[in-house]
């Protein structure tokens, strides 16, 4: 027998026995909640309490509860350090694809690998694992310094909502009965700061207006609950308007359960329950703080609800409240099939051979291809540009920078052991041009400064080079995570990440010094490839004529081969920025702790009142697309109808390519109040599509325009906030084309300017 066949046989035998099954097949038709109540009723109080922690303890075998660790991560791959799973681009890179279908496909692959890891572990006699994941992160990347911004889908609530829903659906599967794995949407709510002025994320009190909550910080969570049907929501470390999120009944009960109809369980961020007592100082005694968390609707603590027994003894909580919390998480365990025979659970026989397959690795590369954003591409000669490069014309290519060889720098955070050999960017370039024509220079350390003579070494190497490919950026790794290679030093302190916000948006000085030295001392053509999480202020690179092209590859995971595909024109770059790239002085104008979206200079593309270095949605292509004039279908829409905007698009350039089509709406004037008194966003993303067109191909695209796209949160003179349809004139922008629409009590119609006066059709 082969090892794989033997393992699959053991897997089938193990899951068929289903040693943790409590409910017989006869009982399997009971509804989930009734079955969860039955399971709960069989446990003692002590046993019940042991199940409210993320490492849920095993209960004696006659009760059939295996130990289960609820804590796994799947932001862009399963973080199994023993596994060999597929590492996809960091989520911000995935967001740059603007591709709903891709996000669902990525999540489906990740959940397949998670089930395979679990099934392999059970076959080996272990406890279930990797069936619940603390993903996706659907917070809004409101401040560019935030260290965890690259874990998110960017700064826009609509984009985050759409991609978050697809990711949840991909993780949880499409079986009508069982969950493939359970998704946890995090961090609820208004979490986007690690530290500022000595205030940490565990002590931060986010002061947020009702308007900003409803329009910016909550929509993605509502979408993931209502449309995505997420099994779990994670409450965050911070307080919201004075009340810690994990002890906040307005958030966890009124909003989440009563208004949105959430039926899953709430888990705290790790240590957030303890943080309600210290440093938030919710109550004098920790047991009382934990009681308030449970009562508010926090059903599980990561990692320990250790003071609940004391709270129960002091009658701060009663057993029925413990039961309520436990039934919610037991319902999810039941839906994962943990208590049913394996032949009833369609995912229980996914074999280990589905981990890190070649198809999965190719999917990671394709995700990276679609994520790469071309920021600059100078003209060269009459018709050409700096990119794409022509491999056959190159005799010497110099590749500079540690990210070109040190693949750990490409992974972001929350990743596991990668599947197979990971191709480095240097190897990918060598495969296209030829190893004998490509040389590598280490260049500067990421942050530690230049070694003596290192700039001279790079300059000497570049003197007769056809092109210098300079890999620059910032890293999330610390020295414990970053392993040495034969070519690169091991010590790389990290600049952004969980627990650490940036102080500025600049490239590390050592990298900029080397680039400026190259530009001043050589005639080399310089192409910069950015490897990074959050946005960078790269004004000098954009302005320098020596830097002929810039692209951002984000943190591409195992998809680094995509960088060479774009550089050498195998594919046209098609990513768009899911975040604004600000000028360097932006961080001097606004404190990162300010949650107000509209206060000058404004946050994100929706409210920014100053010019951006590269705006949200920006991205260049190797080809050209021509848009026709948008048309409203029907030309007049009744109040409750769904309108469509139709636009024609033609690829007028010389190569096949993807195009990301964005529908942006902006208010022009309102029918009842002055525009500036409503504090509306300057613009809002309302739809997007990714299409592929051959050279010369035309396509017609219809984009949705429901009434809710004209709605915004409005605060009246009494301070009451409600979402209302805004009657008046609206501009709908698609590409370089736009259409003016009028929304009134009677419905929606096209506005036609005639003789200098606005006329309604």
């Amino acid at each position: 027998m082969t090892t794989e066949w033997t393992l699959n046989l053991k897997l089938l035998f193990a899951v068929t026995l289903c040693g943790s099954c409590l409910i017989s097949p006869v009982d399997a038709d009971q509804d989930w909640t009734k079955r969860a109540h039955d399971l709960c009723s069989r446990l003692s109080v002590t046993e019940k309490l042991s199940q409210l922690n993320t490492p849920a303890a095993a209960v004696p075998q006659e009760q059939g509860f295996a130990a289960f660790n609820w804590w796994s991560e799947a932001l862009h791959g399963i973080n199994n350090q023993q596994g060999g799973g597929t590492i996809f681009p960091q989520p911000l890179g995935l967001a740059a694809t603007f591709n709903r279908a891709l996000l669902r496909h990525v999540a489906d692959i990740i959940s397949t690998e998670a089930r395979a890891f679990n099934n392999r572990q059970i076959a080996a006699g272990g406890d279930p694992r990797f069936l619940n994941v603390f993903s996706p992160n659907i917070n809004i990347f409101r401040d560019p310094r935030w260290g965890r911004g690259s874990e998110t889908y960017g700064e826009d609530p609509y984009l985050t909502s759409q991609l978050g829903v697809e990711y949840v659906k991909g993780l949880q599967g499409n079986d009508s009965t069982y969950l493939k794995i359970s998704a946890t949407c995090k961090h609820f709510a208004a979490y986007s700061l690690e530290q500022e002025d000595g205030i940490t994320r565990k002590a931060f009190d986010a002061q947020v207006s009702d308007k900003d909550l409803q329009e910016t910080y909550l929509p993605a969570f509502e979408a993931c609950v209502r449309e995505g049907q997420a099994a779990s929501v994670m409450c965050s470390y911070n307080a919201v308007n004075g009340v810690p999120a994990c002890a906040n009944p307005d958030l966890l009960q009124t909003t989440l359960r009563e208004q949105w109809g959430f039926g899953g369980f709430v888990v705290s961020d790790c240590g957030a329950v303890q943080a309600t007592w210290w440093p938030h100082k919710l109550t004098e005694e920790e047991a009382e703080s934990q009681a308030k968390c449970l009562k508010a609707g926090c059903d599980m603590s990561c990692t320990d609800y250790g003071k609940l027994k004391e709270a129960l003894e002091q009658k701060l909580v009663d057993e029925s409240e413990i039961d309520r919390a436990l039934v919610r998480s037991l319902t999810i365990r039941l839906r994962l099939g943990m208590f049913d025979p394996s032949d009833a659970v369609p995912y229980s026989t996914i074999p280990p051979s589905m981990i890190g397959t070649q198809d999965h690795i190719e999917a990671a590369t394709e995700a990276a291809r679609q994520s790469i954003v071309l920021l600059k591409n100078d003209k060269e000669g009459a018709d050409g540009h700096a990119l794409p490069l022509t491999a056959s014309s190159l005799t010497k290519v110099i590749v500079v920078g540690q990210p070109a060889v040190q693949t750990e720098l490409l992974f972001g955070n929350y990743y596991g052991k990668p599947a197979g050999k990971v191709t480095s960017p240097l190897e990918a370039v060598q495969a296209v041009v030829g190893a004998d024509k490509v040389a590598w220079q280490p260049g500067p350390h990421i942050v530690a400064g230049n070694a003596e003579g290192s700039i001279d070494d790079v300059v000497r190497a570049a003197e007769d080079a056809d092109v210098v490919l300079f890999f620059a950026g910032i890293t999330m790794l610390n020295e414990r995570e970053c392993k040495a290679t034969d070519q690169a030093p091991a010590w790389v302190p990290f600049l952004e990440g969980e627990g650490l916000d940036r102080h500025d948006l600049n490239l590390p000085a050592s990298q900029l010094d080397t680039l400026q030295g190259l530009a001043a001392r050589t005639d080399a053509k310089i192409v910069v490839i950015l490897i990074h999480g959050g946005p960078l202020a790269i004004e000098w690179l954009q302005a320098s004529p020596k830097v002929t092209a810039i692209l951002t590859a984000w943190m591409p995971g195992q998809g680094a081969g995509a960088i060479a595909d774009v550089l050498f024109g195998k594919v046209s770059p098609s990513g768009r920025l899911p975040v604004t790239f600000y000028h360097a002085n932006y961080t001097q104008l606004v404190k990162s702790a300010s949650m107000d979206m509209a206060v000058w200079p404004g946050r994100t593309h929706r409210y920014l009142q100053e010019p951006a270095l590269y705006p949200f949605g920006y991205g260049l292509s190797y080809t050209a697309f021509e848009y026709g004039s948008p048309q409203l279908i029907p030309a007049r829409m009744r109040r409750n109808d769904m309108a469509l905007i139709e636009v024609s698009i033609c690829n007028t350039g010389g190569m096949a390519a993807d195009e990301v089509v964005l529908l942006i709406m902006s208010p022009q004037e309102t029918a009842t109040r002055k525009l500036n008194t409503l504090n509306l966003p300057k613009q809002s993303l309302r739809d997007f599509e990714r299409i592929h067109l051959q050279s010369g191909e035309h396509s017609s695209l219809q984009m949705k325009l429901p009434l809710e796209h004209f709605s915004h949160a409005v605060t009246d003179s009494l301070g009451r906030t409600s979402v209302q349809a805004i009657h008046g004139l609206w501009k709908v922008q698609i590409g370089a084309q736009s259409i003016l629409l009028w929304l009134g009590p009677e419905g929606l119609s096209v506005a036609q300017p005639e003789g200098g006066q606005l006329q309604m059709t």
Side-chain angles (χ1 to χ4, degrees):
M1 293 184 188
T2 65
T3 302
E4 180 69 26
W5 192 93
T6 303
L7 187 56
N8 287 346
L9 184 62
K10 288 181 178 179
L11 168 62
L12 181 62
F13 181 68
V15 295
T16 301
L17 286 178
C18 192
S20 64
C21 294
L22 267 181
I23 305 300
S24 68
V26 175
D27 298 321
D29 288 335
Q30 297 182 68
D31 69 71
W32 299 122
T33 303
K34 187 175 181 180
R35 292 180 66 188
H37 277 289
D38 176 64
L39 290 176
C40 181
S41 70
R42 304 183 188 197
L43 304 182
S44 68
V45 171
T46 299
E47 290 168 340
K48 291 174 183 178
L49 290 172
S50 76
Q51 301 301 302
L52 300 187
N53 308 318
T54 46
V59 179
Q61 188 60 37
E62 61 267 26
Q63 296 291 357
F65 278 72
F68 179 54
N69 191 338
W70 290 89
W71 184 4
S72 297
E73 303 282 350
L75 287 172
H76 56 127
I78 292 293
N79 67 324
N80 183 1
Q81 298 304 318
Q82 289 77 45
T86 307
I87 303 176
F88 288 88
Q90 188 79 348
L92 193 62
L94 293 175
T97 70
F98 282 77
N99 190 335
R100 296 176 179 88
L102 177 73
L103 267 287
R104 188 182 290 206
H105 182 52
V106 166
D108 179 60
I109 289 173
I110 291 170
S111 59
T112 292
E113 295 191 354
R115 271 286 178 174
F117 283 134
N118 170 77
N119 295 344
R120 183 173 68 183
Q121 183 157 313
I122 290 176
D127 294 320
R129 191 74 166 91
F130 307 114
L131 295 187
N132 182 79
V133 294
F134 290 172
S135 305
N137 183 338
I138 54 172
N139 293 120
I140 298 301
F141 198 171
R142 62 167 182 89
D143 188 282
R145 290 162 286 194
W146 185 30
R148 298 186 73 177
S150 68
E151 295 180 25
T152 75
Y153 300 129
E155 69 183 32
D156 187 83
Y158 181 78
L159 178 64
T160 299
S161 299
Q162 294 289 301
L163 299 185
V165 165
E166 295 302 321
Y167 203 79
V168 168
K169 289 181 175 180
L171 290 177
Q172 297 191 162
N174 56 12
D175 186 75
S176 60
T177 302
Y178 292 98
L179 294 170
K180 195 175 185 185
I181 64 176
S182 49
T184 302
C185 294
K186 64 183 185 184
H187 311 78
F188 190 62
Y191 171 53
S192 52
L193 177 140
E194 302 302 299
Q195 58 183 10
E196 184 189 59
D197 296 335
I199 301 174
T200 69
R201 57 184 179 164
K202 291 186 176 181
F204 180 55
D205 181 10
Q207 293 293 310
V208 189
S209 68
D210 285 345
K211 176 179 174 58
D212 283 341
L213 271 176
Q214 292 187 40
E215 284 206 320
T216 299
Y217 299 113
L218 297 186
F221 287 95
E222 182 176 6
C224 283
V225 166
R226 288 184 184 271
E227 188 178 347
Q229 293 293 298
S232 176
V233 167
M234 176 184 284
C235 54
S236 55
Y237 290 120
N238 56 284
V240 178
N241 297 330
V243 183
C246 290
N248 194 318
D250 286 343
L251 285 175
L252 303 185
Q253 183 60 36
T254 304
T255 299
L256 188 60
R257 296 195 182 276
E258 295 175 12
Q259 295 179 6
W260 299 348
F262 178 61
F265 72 95
V266 173
V267 60
S268 77
D269 204 341
C270 297
V273 164
Q274 289 75 14
T276 62
W277 175 63
W278 186 265
H280 281 300
K281 303 178 184 178
L282 179 64
T283 63
E284 291 188 4
E285 299 296 329
E286 186 173 4
E288 185 178 0
S289 289
Q290 293 198 9
K292 284 183 175 290
C293 291
L294 186 74
K295 286 176 174 290
C298 181
D299 304 307
M300 183 182 296
S301 175
C302 179
T303 54
D304 183 21
Y305 242 143
K307 294 293 183 178
L308 275 188
K309 184 176 181 181
E310 184 179 331
L312 184 64
E313 292 168 350
Q314 296 178 17
K315 301 187 184 308
L316 299 173
V317 297
D318 58 47
E319 190 171 354
S320 66
E321 291 167 320
I322 293 170
D323 290 350
R324 179 189 65 183
L326 180 55
V327 163
R328 289 169 177 167
S329 62
L330 284 178
T331 299
I332 301 305
R333 288 189 72 166
L334 283 161
R335 293 183 63 200
L336 288 166
M338 290 190 189
F339 299 99
D340 287 351
S342 65
D343 58 4
V345 184
Y347 308 115
S348 63
T349 55
I350 295 175
S353 60
M354 292 301 295
I355 299 169
T357 68
Q358 192 56 46
D359 285 347
H360 291 181
I361 295 172
E362 173 53 34
T365 304
E366 177 58 25
R369 288 188 193 107
Q370 294 189 27
S371 75
I372 291 173
V373 182
L374 182 61
L375 299 175
K376 178 182 180 180
N377 196 17
D378 283 351
K379 287 188 175 182
E380 292 185 350
D383 302 314
H385 287 81
L387 294 179
L389 300 169
T390 303
S392 61
S393 68
L394 302 175
T395 59
K396 183 178 179 181
V397 176
I398 299 299
V399 178
V400 180
Q402 294 172 54
V405 298
Q406 202 164 354
T407 54
E408 294 89 349
L409 297 175
L410 311 177
F411 292 165
N413 66 349
Y414 284 120
Y415 60 86
K417 179 181 178 181
K421 182 186 182 302
V422 179
T423 299
S424 71
L426 175 64
E427 291 169 329
V429 171
Q430 288 173 331
V432 176
V433 181
D436 59 325
K437 298 178 182 178
V438 181
W440 177 72
Q441 281 287 320
H445 293 284
I446 300 296
V447 293
N450 286 295
E452 185 175 352
S454 64
I455 295 180
D456 293 337
D457 292 341
V458 173
V459 168
R460 278 193 295 270
E463 283 176 351
D464 58 346
D466 298 310
V467 64
V468 175
L469 303 179
F470 198 111
F471 285 77
I474 53 180
T475 175
M476 300 182 78
L477 297 183
N478 60 36
E479 61 180 307
R480 293 189 305 278
E481 296 171 309
C482 196
K483 303 172 181 63
T485 69
D486 292 338
Q487 296 176 298
W491 188 82
V492 184
F494 71 119
L495 289 173
E496 63 175 348
E498 186 164 1
L500 182 66
D501 293 331
R502 288 186 285 162
H503 297 296
D504 59 53
L505 307 180
N506 300 319
L507 276 177
S510 59
Q511 297 179 37
L512 192 57
D513 288 346
T514 305
L515 282 162
Q516 290 175 338
L518 269 174
R521 298 165 57 186
T522 75
D523 293 324
K525 169 180 171 178
I526 303 170
V527 174
V528 175
I529 301 96
L530 299 173
I531 304 294
H532 62 109
L536 295 166
I538 50 172
E539 289 98 332
W540 184 86
L541 300 184
Q542 177 62 31
S544 172
K546 292 293 188 68
V547 177
T548 59
I550 308 168
L551 57 84
T552 173
W554 312 101
M555 292 178 178
Q558 288 187 251
I563 297 172
D565 291 342
V566 171
L567 287 172
F568 294 97
K570 181 178 179 180
V571 296
S572 174
S574 57
R576 297 290 192 94
L577 293 181
V579 288
T580 300
F581 274 43
Y582 300 88
H583 287 281
N585 69 341
Y586 181 82
T587 58
Q588 302 167 20
L589 304 178
V590 60
K591 282 188 168 291
S592 59
S594 171
M595 304 296 291
D596 192 312
M597 296 298 297
V599 67
W600 185 87
R603 292 195 177 279
T604 77
H605 76 103
R606 297 164 60 234
Y607 289 100
L608 185 63
Q609 300 161 46
E610 297 295 323
L613 179 61
Y614 304 110
F616 174 89
Y618 179 83
L620 303 175
S621 175
Y622 292 158
T623 189
F625 295 93
E626 185 175 293
Y627 287 69
S629 299
Q631 303 295 319
L632 179 66
I633 303 174
R636 183 182 295 275
M637 181 184 76
R638 294 187 300 275
R639 183 173 179 83
N640 296 320
D641 288 347
M642 168 74 77
L644 297 172
I645 294 288
E646 185 172 80
V647 62
S648 63
I649 305 169
C650 179
N651 181 349
T652 59
M655 69 180 294
D658 283 6
E659 169 73 340
V660 172
V661 183
L662 305 181
L663 188 154
I664 303 285
M665 292 181 60
S666 54
Q668 304 299 295
E669 62 182 58
T670 68
T672 56
R673 292 170 59 179
K674 290 184 178 179
L675 196 59
N676 59 1
T677 66
L678 293 175
N679 205 23
L680 300 179
K682 289 173 53 183
Q683 62 178 36
S684 300
L685 176 68
R686 292 308 199 187
D687 202 0
F688 60 90
E689 295 290 344
R690 173 182 277 265
I691 60 173
H692 183 82
L693 294 176
Q694 298 294 322
S695 175
E697 183 181 1
H698 291 74
S699 180
S700 182
L701 183 67
Q702 291 187 344
M703 308 186 82
K704 297 177 181 178
L705 201 65
L707 182 65
E708 65 192 55
H709 284 358
F710 298 86
S711 299
H712 286 276
V714 176
T715 303
D716 65 18
S717 59
L718 299 178
R720 299 171 299 191
T721 302
S722 61
V723 176
Q724 304 173 17
I726 307 300
H727 292 174
L729 186 66
W730 289 84
K731 180 181 179 182
V732 176
Q733 185 92 24
I734 303 178
Q737 302 294 325
S738 64
I739 184 173
L740 290 173
L741 302 177
W742 179 267
L743 179 68
E746 71 288 349
L748 183 68
S749 56
V750 178
Q752 301 284 358
E754 291 183 4
Q757 301 295 318
L758 197 63
Q759 304 294 324
M760 305 309 145
T761 61

